[in-house]
Amino acid sequence: GFDPARLRLVPWGIEPQPADASAVAGVRARFGISGRYLLWTGTIEPRKNLVTLLEAYSALRAGGRHADVGLVIAGGKGWLYGDFFTRLRALGFEDSVRLTGYVPEADLPPLMSSAFRASPGDRLHRYRCTMNWSVPCVAVVRNAPPITPDQKV
């Protein structure tokens, strides 16, 4: 066992940030987003596996079943991002994938809360996604099927 006196409760590091309808409408208008969309947040760089996300998005739209679902990449360019843009052009997604660039912290709650699904690029945004905005998160792992919160890994 262990000494219960040594146990300390550490509260979560962030507070829930709900977004009201006017904030959602403002962010959607500012970034030119309409309809249902998948959201990815983070810096565009190779270690974020965005080429695989583009492939998954292509497969999602291929059958026409989810042709109405957009993809929003919320984040700036990092390093060695050329492969991402090459694949984006090769798939013909220059007009259907919305690249927002850097998104201010205040715009993340409305952007996340109005997403159909989210695939945040780092652990902090994954945590915020699932805990604060009640948006189902999807993890994209190379050579593996997508992982959603309701699945056991």
Side-chain angles (χ1 to χ4, degrees):
F2 67 92
D3 179 5
R6 294 183 64 198
L7 181 65
R8 301 285 184 268
L9 174 64
V10 179
W12 293 345
I14 59 173
E15 293 293 321
Q17 300 170 319
D20 62 30
S22 65
V24 168
V27 166
R28 280 175 162 262
R30 191 165 34 262
F31 292 114
I33 301 168
S34 62
R36 296 187 315 159
Y37 64 95
L38 303 170
L39 174 67
W40 186 90
T41 58
T43 308
I44 299 172
E45 52 192 54
R47 67 189 179 99
K48 302 297 178 90
N49 207 11
L50 283 170
V51 171
T52 302
L53 178 62
L54 290 176
E55 297 291 342
Y57 182 62
S58 178
L60 177 74
R61 294 175 55 103
R65 184 171 165 209
H66 297 289
D68 66 319
V69 177
L71 175 60
V72 175
I73 306 283
K77 293 177 183 175
W79 52 276
L80 297 175
Y81 48 78
D83 287 348
F84 167 76
F85 286 99
T86 298
R87 193 67 189 134
L88 182 77
R89 284 188 298 277
L91 290 168
F93 288 154
E94 299 98 320
D95 295 328
S96 60
V97 173
R98 173 76 54 205
L99 302 171
T100 67
Y102 171 78
V103 174
E105 188 75 22
D107 287 345
L108 286 175
L111 195 60
M112 287 266 195
S113 66
S114 67
F116 173 62
R117 295 283 187 272
S119 181
D122 61 40
R123 284 180 293 197
L124 174 62
H125 287 156
R126 263 193 296 277
Y127 172 78
R128 287 179 173 174
C129 174
T130 55
M131 298 306 293
N132 288 345
W133 300 305
S134 301
V135 175
C137 287
V138 179
V140 178
V141 181
R142 188 171 308 216
N143 298 323
I147 301 167
T148 58
D150 58 335
Q151 294 174 316
K152 295 186 181 196
V153 180

